């Protein structure tokens, strides 16, 4: 499966995703996010903007993810912490953006 | 100024165990941390969470593990420098390192172990251009004295307990209080949230986030905010209290003379040697192929780095190897004799 990633510079990269990994893990392998806390919801270094057409197709953020988004910056209505999104075949083609900072 | 065998930067779990590992080899340590209390991430981020993968501890609360590590290290009487960031490193001609802390004091040591985790914990600063210039004048990350806020047009940014509690206590002090938060829900004590929402003197601006600072670089005249997904607006304000928790910052180690990736220090596996002689890195900050960022990995690295530090502190002197069961530990030996 592929994740379509829009980089801050405008370029687009197709990143390979694997079933059972989080989106953060796939993005981190491609050096696109840091994922500093290994998905423990303690860093927000995996913050991404989901493309609007995909936002409603993801399971919504739970309370702990919302709490961590409270200390992230550069937010958009479709901001998510990518460590909390698990890859499945239904997410093939998931499109997202890497925030310029934060 | 103090003189020890080994200076340890970072009093997280790994730095604390390094005190013990060095102590077992007869090396005295000083430990520095930017936080006022030891424990690193366990203290700053998850003191109440149970940990399940510490060998021999089926479950242990993070705060309890820290207390036990402090107790284990106490046998070797380490010098703690807490609430102080390690800023500069120099090396004398005889190979003694001098570490200067942010309070201006100096530690002299023959070897240095960096157990800096994700970096020195400090306030999570909003990435607003020019913010540094206003810090401690118009931009604050905590409240040291209420009086600094008297009569000011204050914006509090954040949605946790500290934002809500300070909004409630500063309404009587500041001329105006506006709370800017990215959503309508606050992750704070429900009674305090209700009290804040009911207080007509507190203006709530949700769902909004900070977008910029307007001023001359000394005095703030307005704060730009942005509706999430919407347009920018200007709030007339001369003071910002930004409460976004803690984050790690490794920048003060950048000029220490070892290689530093943005977030990690590459080391030789096993010896934990950095690219600078006499300086070792362990725990989350140390990187090598296949590294697992776990507390238990850091503990093993601490034991290895202690041996390397011994060779640096006592050049040419053979290390007599003994298990802890043979060597014992100062306090416990005394206890056993007494019993
Ligand atoms: C929510 C969460 C859950 C976790 N759960 C587990 C788990 O179940 N099991 C597990 O094994 N791991 C877990 N971890 C990871 C674990 O916490 C880390 O591996 C561990 O804290 C690393 O310890 P450390 O001593 O290397 O660094 P840290 O704990 O990060 O401590 C480093 C310390 O160094 C200080 N410091 C850095 N630079 C300086 C400087 N220049 N001057 C002064 N002080 C400085 C910092 O202020 C900090 O206190 C979890 C992490 C999080 C966030
Ligand atoms: S990796 Fe830290 S919050 Fe997602």
């Amino acid at each position: 499966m592929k994740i379509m990633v829009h980089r801050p510079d405008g370029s687009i990269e197709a990143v390979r995703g694997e079933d059972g990994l989080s989106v953060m893990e796939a993005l981190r392998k491609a050096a696109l996010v840091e994922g500093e806390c290994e998905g423990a919801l303690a860093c927000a270094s995996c913050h991404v903007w989901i493309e609007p057409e995909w936002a409603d197709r993801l399971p919504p953020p739970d309370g702990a993810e919302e709490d961590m988004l409270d200390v992230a910056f550069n937010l958009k209505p479709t901001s998510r912490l990518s460590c909390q999104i698990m890859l499945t075949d239904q997410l093939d083609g998931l499109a997202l953006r890497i925030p310029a900072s934060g | 100024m103090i003189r020890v065998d080994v200076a340890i930067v970072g009093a997280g779990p790994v730095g604390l165990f390094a005190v013990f590992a060095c102590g077992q080899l007869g090396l005295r340590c000083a430990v520095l941390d930017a936080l006022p209390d030891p424990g690193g991430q366990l203290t700053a981020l998850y003191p109440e969470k149970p940990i399940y993968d510490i060998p021999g501890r089926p479950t242990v609360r993070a705060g309890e593990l820290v207390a036990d590590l402090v107790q284990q290290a106490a046998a070797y009487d380490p010098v703690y420098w807490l609430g102080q960031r390690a800023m500069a490193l120099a090396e004398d001609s005889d190979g003694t390192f001098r570490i200067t802390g942010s309070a201006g004091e100096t530690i002299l040591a023959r070897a240095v172990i960096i157990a800096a985790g994700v970096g020195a914990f400090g306030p999570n600063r909003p990435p607003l251009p020019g913010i540094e210039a206003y810090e401690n004048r118009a931009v604050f990350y905590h409240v040291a004295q209420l009086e600094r806020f008297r009569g000011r047009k204050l914006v509090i940014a954040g949605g946790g307990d500290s934002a809500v509690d300070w909004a409630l206590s500063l309404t009587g002090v500041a001329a105006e209080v506006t709370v800017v938060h990215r959503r309508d829900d606050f992750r704070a004590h429900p009674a305090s949230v209700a009290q804040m929402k009911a207080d007509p003197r507190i203006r709530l601006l949700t769902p909004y986030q900070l977008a910029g600072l307007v001023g001359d670089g000394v005095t703030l005249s307005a704060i730009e905010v942005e509706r999430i997904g919407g347009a920018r607006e200007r709030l007339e304000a001369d003071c910002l209290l930004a409460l976004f928790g803690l984050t790690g910052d490794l920048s003060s180690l950048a000029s220490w003379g070892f290689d530093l990736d943005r977030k990690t220090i590459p080391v030789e596996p096993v010896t934990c040697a950095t690219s600078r002689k006499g300086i070792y890195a362990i725990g989350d900050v140390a990187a090598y192929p296949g590294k697992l960022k776990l507390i238990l990995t850091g503990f093993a690295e601490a034991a290895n780095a202690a041996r390397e530090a011994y060779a640096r502190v006592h050049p040419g002197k053979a290390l007599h190897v003994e298990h802890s069961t043979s060597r014992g530990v100062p306090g416990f030996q005394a206890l056993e004799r007494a019993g």
Side-chain angles (χ1 to χ4, degrees):
Chain A
M1 83 190 71
K2 289 235 168 350
I3 308 172
M4 303 307 293
V5 183
H6 298 247
R7 289 215 203 78
D9 67 5
S11 60
I12 300 180
E13 182 173 338
V15 172
R16 200 170 87 91
E18 284 163 272
D19 205 14
L21 289 191
S22 67
V23 173
M24 177 277 280
E25 287 170 299
L27 297 178
R28 186 169 61 181
K29 281 189 185 175
L32 289 161
V33 299
E34 275 159 16
E36 219 175 77
C37 78
E38 302 286 344
L41 282 177
C43 73
S45 72
C46 61
H47 173 207
V48 298
W49 300 326
I50 304 295
E51 285 289 87
E53 68 272 21
W54 277 93
D56 294 335
R57 292 158 73 178
L58 300 175
D62 64 12
E65 182 181 345
E66 290 283 8
D67 288 353
M68 194 61 213
L69 280 167
D70 283 355
V71 295
F73 303 112
N74 254 315
L75 296 159
K76 296 225 188 278
T78 62
S79 281
R80 292 295 303 264
L81 295 174
S82 58
C83 64
Q84 301 303 302
I85 305 169
M86 296 308 289
L87 285 166
T88 60
D89 288 335
Q90 283 80 49
L91 297 188
D92 191 18
L94 172 68
L96 54 83
R97 287 173 190 270
I98 306 292
S101 81
Chain B
M1 190 159 71
I2 50 160
R3 187 182 285 273
V4 289
D5 296 317
V6 182
I8 299 173
V9 177
V14 176
L16 291 173
F17 189 68
V19 172
F20 177 83
C22 287
Q24 284 261 297
L25 306 183
L27 304 174
R28 178 123 197 276
C29 300
V31 197
L32 275 115
D33 205 296
L35 290 176
D37 298 298
Q41 294 174 46
L42 286 70
T43 299
L45 304 177
Y46 62 107
E48 295 305 328
K49 281 198 180 159
I51 307 177
Y52 300 104
D53 60 352
I54 304 299
R57 306 288 293 267
T59 169
V60 56
R61 221 172 32 81
E64 194 185 325
L65 180 63
V66 171
D68 288 353
L69 285 164
V70 169
Q71 190 196 343
Q72 195 172 18
Y76 297 108
D77 196 23
V79 180
Y80 284 103
W81 276 17
L82 301 176
Q84 168 155 210
R85 206 160 147 168
M87 300 303 290
L89 176 93
E91 188 173 345
D92 294 349
S93 54
D94 68 350
T96 300
F97 292 111
R98 291 171 176 268
I99 294 182
T100 315
S102 49
E105 290 180 272
T106 305
I107 293 178
L108 301 185
R110 300 289 303 174
V112 177
I113 296 180
I114 312 279
V118 291
F121 275 112
N124 184 20
R125 294 181 164 78
L128 305 175
I131 192 165
E132 293 86 359
Y134 297 103
E135 285 172 358
N136 298 319
R137 286 187 236 186
V139 173
F140 300 88
Y141 303 110
H142 64 271
V143 178
Q145 299 158 290
L146 287 179
E147 283 311 306
R148 301 212 64 163
F149 299 89
R150 180 156 311 274
R152 299 183 87 166
K153 292 182 182 161
L154 172 66
V155 169
I156 298 178
D161 278 308
S162 49
V164 173
D165 292 346
W166 284 122
L168 290 170
S169 359
L170 287 166
T171 39
V173 179
E176 291 172 13
V177 174
T178 305
V179 175
V180 175
H181 180 43
R182 70 161 192 107
R183 55 175 172 147
D184 301 332
D185 289 341
F186 286 78
R187 50 173 209 300
H189 198 269
S192 310
V193 176
Q195 197 186 339
M196 175 182 72
K197 287 187 171 170
D199 192 328
R201 296 169 302 172
I202 301 175
R203 179 173 170 213
L204 288 186
L205 208 54
T206 58
Y208 277 79
Q209 65 186 333
L210 298 174
L213 300 173
V214 185
D216 58 8
V218 178
T219 313
L220 211 56
S221 55
I223 293 174
E224 285 190 325
V225 294
E226 181 186 281
R227 200 181 163 85
I228 302 289
R232 284 193 176 199
E233 289 165 38
R234 252 178 204 206
L235 295 179
E236 211 189 297
D238 58 12
C239 190
L240 172 67
L241 180 58
L243 301 170
F244 296 100
L246 293 171
T247 190
D249 175 7
L250 273 178
S251 63
S252 56
L253 303 181
S255 59
W256 284 34
F258 45 73
D259 296 336
L260 183 71
D261 287 345
R262 224 161 74 71
K263 295 280 167 125
T264 53
I265 302 171
V267 297
E268 270 179 43
V270 185
T271 66
C272 297
T274 68
S275 61
R276 180 163 183 173
K277 241 180 142 48
I279 304 187
Y280 310 89
I282 59 176
D284 274 14
V285 79
Y288 47 82
K291 162 85 178 200
L292 287 182
K293 277 205 231 167
L294 288 175
I295 296 166
L296 74 89
T297 316
F299 287 168
E301 290 163 357
N304 284 332
R307 291 225 179 170
E308 297 297 316
Y310 178 90
R312 163 93 187 180
V313 175
H314 302 294
K317 190 172 162 200
L319 173 63
H320 170 58
V321 178
E322 266 177 341
H323 281 302
S324 73
T325 44
S326 321
R327 197 182 295 270
V329 161
F332 285 99
Q333 275 163 335
L335 280 181
E336 271 162 29
R337 273 199 297 273

